[in-house]
Amino acid sequence: MTSSSARDSRAPAGVVSLTTDYGLADGFVAACHGVIARLAPALRIIDVTHLVPPGDVRRGGAVLAQTVPHLPLGVHVAVVDPGVGTSRRGVALDTPAGLLVGPDNGLLLDAAGALGGITGAVELTNPRWLAPRVSATFHGRDVFAPVAARLALGAPLAEAGPAVDPASLVRLPEPLVRRLPDGFVAEVLTVDGFGNVQLAARSELLDPLPARVRIDPVAGDPAAADSPAGVGGWEREAVHGRTFGDAPVGALVAHADSAGRVALSVNGGHAAALLAVVPGTLLRVRGSGVVGDAPGQYG
Amino acid sequence: MTSSSARDSRAPAGVVSLTTDYGLADGFVAACHGVIARLAPALRIIDVTHLVPPGDVRRGGAVLAQTVPHLPLGVHVAVVDPGVGTSRRGVALDTPAGLLVGPDNGLLLDAAGALGGITGAVELTNPRWLAPRVSATFHGRDVFAPVAARLALGAPLAEAGPAVDPASLVRLPEPLVRRLPDGFVAEVLTVDGFGNVQLAARSELLDPLPARVRIDPVAGDPAAADSPAGVGGWEREAVHGRTFGDAPVGALVAHADSAGRVALSVNGGHAAALLAVVPGTLLRVRGSGVVGDAPGQYG
Amino acid sequence: MTSSSARDSRAPAGVVSLTTDYGLADGFVAACHGVIARLAPALRIIDVTHLVPPGDVRRGGAVLAQTVPHLPLGVHVAVVDPGVGTSRRGVALDTPAGLLVGPDNGLLLDAAGALGGITGAVELTNPRWLAPRVSATFHGRDVFAPVAARLALGAPLAEAGPAVDPASLVRLPEPLVRRLPDGFVAEVLTVDGFGNVQLAARSELLDPLPARVRIDPVAGDPAAADSPAGVGGWEREAVHGRTFGDAPVGALVAHADSAGRVALSVNGGHAAALLAVVPGTLLRVRGSGVVGDAPGQYG
């Protein structure tokens, strides 16, 4: 937990990345860039996205976790922070492959896992690292950006504030994934700008399934998921392929996406609209072959 | 007015910032980046926003003024320019804390104030500073970007064109703010991406008000504002807090925002939608205590 | 076609630019930035746009072609790639003024023309230039970004893969432009964020027309375009001006735009909404003077 000592001698980081729900129509993102550039004029800043839906901590965490493995070694700031100005902690987490900075509300933990796990954590309380006047509503600018710049310049993590027990960090509930005898149940994790539906299931769960699969929504009780009840309404067949191009235009494809998860896509179309699913929807994916034989049985 | 002499020896600036209504779906912003990068390859460019509503000079000026204090010393280009290609002047303004470049239509003046006031101004007429062929419709690329790059590299302001009397610069009408015996009236200045409603009033006007305030719309005649007539339709009570988290989810909060102005926010909601206000709406904010006692009196 | 030898000694490029349909809400763009920054930490990246409508290859190609002439010498990556993961080739094209990298689906060819024409082309097959595991759906990150970074660092084009005959590259149909005795017919090429309607016609076709022109939609058969039949529904008169400011607020103006093409704009308004046109619509623009004399004749 006190990896900060190991970090005392680390080289300055290559980049700071930013992931927020600030939107692009205001000057909020630029103010963060400005604060960082004042402290670290030569540092590269990479914007991951600023279009996380306002307050959607899970979505912010998913985008961050899937992007950080492709970024240079650096300090990754994320701010999706409905609790700004309340007593929630600001934290910095150390990992074997970079640092994470943001609110202690679960946003950073999947990314920490993607970077090799938490090896140290501190609460951001050192006033000399923050803006002279910290506003109640804009900790991105006044807390997280200056802390990230200082860490990127090589300042020791332990100077940012007192160590925090990683076990005490706020965690989001794990997205539901259950193996079934003939497939799996998984929660919809995100929908991207093309309408591709990403499931929480790793693609290894899809690999053993046959060339065609059937998909239907199931009831959301995790305890019942080993034998889930379909909620009915629809069932669709999909090609089990390598990419959307493996099916005719308009057809549904289940495939491994570029983050290693199961995704549902429509060649030339919008899978989320077709299926009418949103993040959090539970879907059941099973080997096909009997579809249409007994139309009532999945109701 | 001829501070350009003082600037003759100034060091190159750290950054160029860009604030426009160009949107992000075309190549307009990139063309400006390209022009600057060709002239000044090592210069950092910070995008403030390119989503100013088309032609909304006041909104562009407000975002710029609230962001520049947080940017490194530099040259700030702003282009919200419904008069491009007409006889409106292009100008560069010098201030104690940076330079501003854009059309002479009022867009730059609040930012100049935020940077310490205008200490020099020139009209951008030197053809050697502009694109070889200046298009009639894209002065961001052909006039303002190359001028900004040259200024950022340290070229003297006086070479950009003849001095302009700051008193001759086009000014927008001041947004209305009036102190009342029990509160204030202020114009809605901007609405951010979270729906937070920023008033033109500085937060000092909110400070003396009690823990609960009431808010209603008033008629838009500035001359009558010392004794404004409510326009009726609604009145709402708000918590006078430090941040949105100081009220229950869904409740309205009046607080000082990160730019030092009064803002109205809804914890977990969208205040502008709740109140049905837009920039320019006049709101009255007064200490509460009598709300509900005489429902007709604010009509 | 083997300009790659000439490139063996070229200096590292100044920038990499990115043009995609990835949107800004996911981490896709940042992953590309990250891959490039890992390989070439000092390289400037310019985002042209990431809001090309999904799969709209023509629109992506038009934005790219109109922007690259204003960018520094560099490597321009474009990914609008509905065929990702199928057998379509990935290619890099050399030109006298920069390199282009992307799918072989017609996206890059107008930009190649704007940079002086194709002087060499290769297929991107060298596995040592790509990600260790190339995903089926994210070639921007796994193929085009690493190739661009290597080329920007000065690696020879010929190392990226085998030479390709430029005549074999996939081409989009040319947008339709036809000269008429009293004007021209042209396809709507793009609509920008202000609603300005850009026609495929170069502005030289507008120059000889009088101070007022009339515009109407015509039938889409190119073979019939020398004597096109109006499709009726509407005809509008426009000012032939230098910029939108040359007409009263709300009036339609035909002018040369900043890319040297004919554009239709409304002073303070949205021309595409006014005319109800989209990319691909064929418009006829002719000298006016008889408008209203024979209202039925354009039907």
Side-chain angles (χ1 to χ4, degrees), chain A residues 91-120:
Chain A
V91 294
L93 312 181
D94 203 358
T95 79
L99 290 148
L100 293 153
V101 173
D104 175 25
N105 64 5
L107 176 66
L108 307 176
L109 295 198
D110 281 356
L115 295 175
I118 300 174
T119 57

Side-chain angles (χ1 to χ4, degrees), chain C residues 189-215:
Chain C
L189 200 59
T190 72
V191 173
D192 73 19
F194 296 92
N196 300 313
V197 174
Q198 183 184 54
L199 303 181
R202 307 291 312 176
S203 62
E204 291 75 15
L205 287 180
L206 181 66
D207 290 342
L209 298 195
R212 300 191 73 83
V213 296
R214 57 205 158 106
I215 301 165

Side-chain angles (χ1 to χ4, degrees), chain B residues 21 24-26 38 41 43 85, chain C residues 44 49 59 69 71 193-194 242:
Chain B
D21 62 355
L24 296 168
D26 299 291
R38 285 180 161 197
L43 193 69
Chain C
R44 182 192 285 265
T49 182
R59 164 75 182 165
L71 301 183
F194 296 92
R242 207 175 53 90

